[in-house]
Amino acid sequence: MTAQPEITQRDLRNRSKEIMDAVENGHAFTVTRDGHEIGELIPLRRRRRFVSRAEFAAMSRNAAQIDLEAFRADQEAAFDQEPRDPYER
């Protein structure tokens, strides 16, 4: 694992666009002030919107088995069977 490049607080202020562009492109930095590490700039993980069928199948192989009858019983127990009038107090 390689160490993150260090940038000073002043660099962050003066080169913010350049540094933020680098963070957006996956680079991380350790921010320092007076020679002391004070924080990290790291890219946010991007949420994936699609998982292929093969990847889903591979992830599901080790999943626990579901007892369908117990699952349905739990749903029935949690679900309020009686409709309520939303205007009734």
Side-chain angles (χ1 to χ4, degrees), residues 7-78:
I7 56 171
T8 65
Q9 179 183 6
R10 177 175 287 165
D11 279 341
L12 179 58
R13 183 183 66 235
N14 293 337
R15 299 175 34 223
S16 64
K17 181 186 180 334
E18 174 188 346
I19 292 166
M20 293 310 226
D21 286 347
V23 171
E24 185 176 34
N25 289 318
H27 298 278
F29 298 91
T30 299
V31 181
T32 63
R33 182 186 324 159
D34 298 326
H36 301 285
E37 295 178 349
I38 61 168
E40 293 179 313
L41 282 174
I42 58 171
L44 292 175
R45 291 189 318 172
R46 295 209 169 127
R47 289 181 18 194
R48 292 174 35 184
R49 296 182 186 265
F50 176 78
V51 176
S52 71
R53 179 179 293 190
E55 189 175 358
F56 179 78
M59 290 186 300
S60 300
R61 282 190 191 106
N62 297 327
Q65 293 292 322
I66 296 175
D67 179 346
L68 191 54
E69 288 183 25
F71 177 71
R72 287 187 176 147
D74 287 345
Q75 282 183 318
E76 291 294 324

